[in-house]
Amino acid sequence: KNEVEQSPQNLTAQEGEFITINCSYSVGISALHWLQQHPGGGIVSLFMLSSGKKKHGRLIATINIQEKHSSLHITASHPRDSAVYICAVWANSKLTFGKGITLSVRP
Amino acid sequence: DAGVIQSPRHEVTEMGQEVTLRCKPISGHNSLFWYRQTMMRGLELLIYFNNNVPIDDSGMPEDRFSAKMPNASFSTLKIQPSEPRDSAVYFCASSQQEGFGNEQFFGPGTRLTVL
């Protein structure tokens, strides 16, 4: 059974700070997704990774297959980045979600 | 494109009633996914379709739940009979290619309350 752990559980940052959110999993995977859920409830897919690194605007996602770990970085954070960030892992024909991390960015 | 469309956006019903949730995926997308989100369990995959064919329904909680995709532009998730523990937000998502190795586009969700 794949366990997906996200850390930290909750995170508060000041506008402009560099933020890192982590996701660890326990089995070999086929793909990892980072999702963003806004306070209104809508879900947006940020990245899909199977190896390496991806960048989109101020967001960077990395994955280390050997260490079974992925990180989501936010540079120059802004209050509009306040959301829940969820990691989802596709492994052994099963999709497992992390519990999500609540990020609050203060102006 | 309007994105993934779900209806209704909110549904309040009484225990024992039949509930049907609807989803229209993005045109040209080949995979469709149904998810459920609750405070207790977070997000869960219920079922997904590739090219209108159900691939994995192991996440469907029990026989009261059923999903169909009669064509590439429409899917339904039905709960009969509904129970209070089915109260949740149900999301539909679609992706251009089959499986989970591609970006998914989520609908706005249907908030279901079963009294």
Side-chain angles (χ1 to χ4, degrees):
Chain A
K1 182 182 173 185
N2 192 18
E3 303 287 340
V4 179
E5 299 287 337
Q6 291 192 245
S7 63
Q9 191 169 11
N10 295 292
L11 185 56
T12 300
Q14 203 66 34
E15 183 173 357
E17 285 184 358
F18 180 83
I19 294 167
T20 296
I21 298 169
N22 298 301
C23 175
S24 297
Y25 49 91
S26 57
V27 302
I29 67 168
S30 300
L32 182 146
H33 294 256
W34 280 103
L35 307 175
Q36 179 192 54
Q37 187 166 28
H38 294 285
I43 297 175
V44 175
S45 175
L46 297 176
F47 295 103
M48 191 287 297
L49 293 164
S50 55
S51 64
K53 173 180 168 179
K54 288 188 176 179
K55 183 177 188 291
H56 181 71
R58 296 180 296 107
L59 303 179
I60 303 167
T62 63
I63 188 167
N64 186 316
I65 298 297
Q66 287 73 31
E67 295 186 3
K68 297 185 174 60
H69 180 267
S70 176
S71 292
L72 177 67
H73 306 284
I74 305 175
T75 62
S77 60
H78 189 276
R80 64 174 175 265
D81 298 325
S82 299
V84 177
Y85 291 85
I86 302 167
C87 167
V89 170
W90 175 242
N92 300 326
S93 302
K94 292 296 175 191
L95 186 67
T96 306
F97 289 92
K99 293 183 187 295
I101 288 167
T102 301
L103 171 65
S104 178
V105 181
R106 294 177 176 167
Chain B
D1 200 312
V4 176
I5 298 172
Q6 291 187 247
S7 64
R9 294 292 306 276
H10 302 271
E11 176 82 25
V12 180
T13 190
E14 292 188 345
M15 183 173 64
Q17 295 297 307
E18 177 180 296
V19 174
T20 299
L21 311 182
R22 297 174 176 80
C23 176
K24 183 181 187 311
I26 293 173
S27 177
H29 281 195
N30 294 321
S31 286
L32 183 140
F33 311 84
W34 281 102
Y35 297 97
R36 179 174 68 174
Q37 186 177 39
T38 61
M39 288 293 291
M40 289 294 293
R41 300 172 66 94
L43 267 169
E44 302 172 282
L45 173 68
L46 299 177
I47 185 172
Y48 77 96
F49 296 82
N50 283 344
N51 296 312
N52 313 339
V53 177
I55 302 301
D56 183 359
D57 65 354
S58 60
M60 297 284 262
E62 48 197 273
D63 292 345
R64 298 184 297 107
F65 285 68
S66 62
K68 293 182 180 179
M69 193 165 184
N71 56 61
S73 59
F74 184 65
S75 178
T76 59
L77 178 68
K78 186 176 292 187
I79 308 172
Q80 167 63 19
S82 58
E83 296 182 3
R85 61 191 166 125
D86 302 329
S87 298
V89 180
Y90 292 81
F91 289 98
C92 175
S94 69
S95 69
Q96 195 163 24
Q97 295 178 11
E98 298 176 11
F100 289 91
N102 304 280
E103 181 183 9
Q104 295 189 19
F105 295 82
F106 284 77
T110 295
R111 183 174 296 276
L112 173 65
T113 302
V114 183
L115 303 174

